[in-house]
Amino acid sequence: MADSSTTAPPAPPAEDSGMEYEEGDTVDASSGDEAAHNDNGASSDANPKKRKREKHQKTSCELCKARKVKCDRAEPACSWCARHNRTCVYLERQKPGSRIGFGLELEAKVNKIDALLQSLGRRLEDHIESHDSPHAILSGHHGDLPQRAGVASSTAPSGTPTSQNGPLTGYWPGSDAPDVSQYGIQPPIPPPVSSQQQHSKTHKKQQQQQQPPPNSIPPASTPYSHGAAPSPSVTGQRPGPALTDLPPQDVIYTLVDLYFKHCNTWCPILDRKSTFGIFFGSTSMGEADRVLLHAIVATTLRFLRDPRLSYEAKLHYHAVSKRNVQLYAMENVSIDAIKALVILCLDELGTSNGPRGWNMLSMLAQNVRQLNLGDETAVFMVTDKEEMPGTGSVRRVITGRPESWIEDEGRRRICWMVYLLDRYATIATADFDFLLEEVRMKRLLPCSYDLFSRNVPVETQTVTYNDDGTREPYTVNHPENLGSFAYHCEILRIVSRIHNFLRTPVDVTSSTAMSSWGATYRSLDSSLDAWLQSLPSEYSKVSALCHSDPASRVANWFMLHSAYVVAVVRLHSAAAYPTVRSPVFMPSHYATQRCLSAVQSLGDIARDVYEADGLDLLGPPFAFSLWVAARLLLVHAATVGCAVDPQIEFLIETLNHVGQYWELANNYAKVLTRAVQMGRQSGYAAMRKVTSPAELDNMDLFNFFNVPALAEATAGQTTSLLGTGATGALPDPERDWLRYGTPYG
């Protein structure tokens, strides 16, 4: 009889890979030495003591394991290796089990197959309905499965392959088609049209002109209905495959997975496991869950590269999903409505920091105030589910008690995410007030995502500020439970204080006023240093981790570093490149070096992410930091009167890469490119002085740096530095008024 060891299955690659394994993983196959051990009749069940003793013995050498033969484990070389003059290598036995992440990958595959089966079942039901409908009987279409518009089809009944991009011109007629390249959806290049095809299209167009014009978006039966789109007879378009309001099930699964890969790392308001359970579990989704799914679809379509979904289908799904979320948020003041609107706000603010995004933020901020999400409370009001008529003189919007700690932590994360979006949008405009007041944010900081996803109840840290901007002492302080999201919230609280400080008018000619101003400046600078020192040790290794681990694991730390750069530039640019100067207020050499060092560090981080192919994992806040850093280089060139740092070219190139997914980054890159070209032609010194509405680009570039705000008494007593090129050199470090008498060394 042949030796059973020669027919044993090969060991999986992870057997001796040196990896750690998660609890619950199983061993798929036995190694060669284990097979030989079993062949000798040493049953592990029959002799547990021997199994326990041999567990710690040395494994077979690598060559014997590869040959699947028994090894005598002799030292320094086994008999076979010694006899054949081969190098004998023994590796320590590793913990058995599948490789890391195998369980998650297997679960994802099962879920995807399940979603595909559900999609096929739904298509079969659609086919049965269309087969029995009067339209199908009259048209004679009985034998073909209805193809979803925008989804790749198989061959037609005649055997001729059909196009992957089905015609959907009825949804976006003529010149009314929106420019959705801003959402990361690129239009396809139309194929050449023959004269015969053109004549046929013209004839069809003349026939359609006799019908009522179709709606740009097919109306649903109810604002939040999730059934099929109206028939062509209702919308006025020609008969054809109808679009539902959501993509096919397998595409939805991909979109939800893309959200957690590209957005939830820096907007961590959803738990992956529970979210997938809601969307793809055995129970049906409620209305709020469907609206949340619409928000995810609208935001992550920009990342989808599925060839089955045509350009027109993406337009349709984005428009319908966005409409569903907006209508639901307008008619409901609830946690679920805020959650969906936060995710949709990522889509809008990633397109442009304009009025539409500000309107969404205004609604979010108002809902946070109405639901009292900014406070930690253990007391909740209880009311009857049936709404009673009221006069509106008393706030009647009440949030019920959370059913679990993870639900309460979810509310905490939603509140802080609204805070972050408000801060970034307001700082970007430089002229507006914050929608959420600092004194209203009395929430504990969010815990680390690992604790959140594992539903481990913990306390973190309180960061509460008084009306005068001073921070109250910690009432709860457990920094070991903090994660990158909490540190992001903390740095933006400092940025908020910096923003309010710089917008407060100051008399730069008064030594008393400037002494007080300088004291506040140093206090904020010390807060930035203290925050940096409080970060965990892995933050200092973020650059190395980018090259050793998948970039998705450290993407949130890159976002954190970019927020720190924004804070440093926002504070120190006011002293480094002021718009005016006086005998008691001159440009600071120390502040200039802090700004340039911060920009250099951001450039190094961006290069690491670029080389690791992880720019698609970073969102609009990272693009904003690149925008701030590039403009700082222009301000430096305009103030000092020198050529712009060549690093600006890399920052623009990085913005172009991020702009493949977030149109806001494209807008930044275009303005910067025009500014660099203009500066090379006519110099940078005069660009900071805006003299006409035609120079709006310059206003967009430099308005962020026109701080501090000046008191009215300052007029006529200062020297303007706008457009003068300053002194033509860097400030003198020996006469630095900020460094003098301070511990900056």
Side-chain angles (χ1 to χ4, degrees), residues 479-639:
E480 67 276 7
N481 297 327
L482 300 179
S484 60
F485 186 41
Y487 290 112
H488 202 161
C489 297
E490 271 197 304
I491 189 65
L492 286 186
R493 298 210 80 166
I494 301 176
V495 172
S496 301
R497 294 166 56 200
I498 295 172
H499 181 76
N500 292 330
F501 163 66
L502 295 178
R503 295 182 72 242
T504 302
V506 60
D507 183 1
V508 297
T509 63
S510 169
S511 58
T512 303
M514 289 310 301
S515 176
S516 175
W517 190 90
T520 306
Y521 175 98
R522 297 184 184 97
S523 174
L524 291 170
D525 187 31
S526 299
S527 297
L528 289 175
D529 291 339
W531 175 88
L532 192 63
Q533 295 298 322
S534 70
L535 294 178
S537 58
E538 58 261 30
Y539 177 78
S540 61
K541 306 174 184 177
V542 64
S543 180
L545 291 175
C546 178
H547 296 282
S548 59
D549 290 349
S552 58
R553 296 187 181 182
V554 290
N556 48 349
W557 291 105
F558 292 128
M559 299 282 284
L560 189 64
H561 183 85
S562 68
Y564 173 72
V565 170
V566 170
V568 170
V569 171
R570 183 63 173 158
L571 174 64
H572 292 291
S573 62
Y577 312 103
T579 56
V580 296
R581 65 180 175 183
S582 71
V584 293
F585 184 54
M586 301 289 288
S588 166
H589 179 270
Y590 165 77
T592 301
Q593 296 306 310
R594 285 295 301 268
C595 288
L596 295 177
S597 297
V599 171
Q600 180 63 45
S601 68
L602 181 64
D604 295 339
I605 287 291
R607 195 173 299 277
D608 288 333
V609 183
Y610 179 83
E611 293 174 354
D613 197 23
L615 289 176
D616 59 327
L617 305 174
L618 306 178
F622 186 77
F624 176 69
S625 68
L626 296 174
W627 167 242
V628 170
R631 286 186 296 168
L632 189 280
L633 297 180
L634 290 174
V635 170
H636 180 80
T639 304

Side-chain angles (χ1 to χ4, degrees), residues 91 299 364 388 464 475 683 691 703:
L91 296 179
T299 303
L364 285 170
M388 302 296 293
T464 307
T475 56
T691 59
N703 193 44

Side-chain angles (χ1 to χ4, degrees), residues 380-388 396-400:
F380 299 89
M381 299 182 65
V382 180
T383 60
D384 295 334
K385 292 184 179 179
E386 183 179 357
E387 291 189 6
M388 302 296 293
R396 301 177 61 85
V397 182
I398 298 173
T399 306

Side-chain angles (χ1 to χ4, degrees), residues 218-228 230 245 287 294 320 323-324 327-328 331:
S221 56
T222 63
Y224 320 118
S225 65
H226 298 271
D245 63 346
E287 180 185 27
H294 275 293
V320 173
R323 180 190 62 185
N324 273 272
L327 291 177
Y328 185 84
E331 297 188 3

Side-chain angles (χ1 to χ4, degrees), residues 58-229:
K58 184 172 49 187
T59 64
S60 301
C61 75
E62 294 302 296
L63 284 175
C64 289
K65 279 200 286 186
R67 296 171 54 246
K68 300 183 180 68
V69 298
K70 185 176 180 180
C71 180
D72 59 11
R73 301 184 177 91
E75 293 282 358
C78 70
S79 58
W80 190 91
C81 292
R83 186 166 63 253
H84 293 83
N85 196 24
R86 303 291 294 274
T87 302
C88 190
V89 178
Y90 293 102
L91 296 179
E92 294 184 3
R93 184 189 299 273
Q94 302 296 321
K95 185 178 179 181
S98 303
R99 58 182 172 80
I100 295 177
F102 178 77
L104 293 176
E105 292 178 5
L106 188 60
E107 181 183 1
K109 289 181 180 179
V110 172
N111 291 337
K112 193 167 186 178
I113 293 174
D114 180 66
L116 181 59
L117 290 176
Q118 293 185 29
S119 175
L120 292 174
R122 192 167 65 178
R123 292 182 63 184
L124 181 59
E125 293 177 358
D126 293 344
H127 168 60
I128 295 174
E129 292 178 1
S130 63
H131 178 79
D132 296 334
S133 66
H135 176 73
I137 296 174
L138 292 175
S139 60
H141 293 160
H142 301 289
D144 302 328
L145 282 174
Q147 176 194 346
R148 294 186 184 276
V151 181
S153 65
S154 59
T155 59
S158 62
T160 305
T162 58
S163 171
Q164 291 183 348
N165 298 329
L168 290 174
T169 54
Y171 290 108
W172 305 103
S175 60
D176 295 332
D179 178 17
V180 292
S181 60
Q182 57 186 343
Y183 301 109
I185 304 172
Q186 300 300 327
I189 301 175
V193 181
S194 65
S195 59
Q196 183 178 0
Q197 291 174 329
Q198 183 65 34
H199 174 73
S200 176
K201 289 184 178 180
T202 304
H203 178 66
K204 290 181 179 180
K205 185 175 181 181
Q206 291 175 353
Q207 291 180 340
Q208 292 174 359
Q209 287 176 351
Q210 300 174 2
Q211 301 176 356
N215 296 327
S216 59
I217 300 177
S221 56
T222 63
Y224 320 118
S225 65
H226 298 271

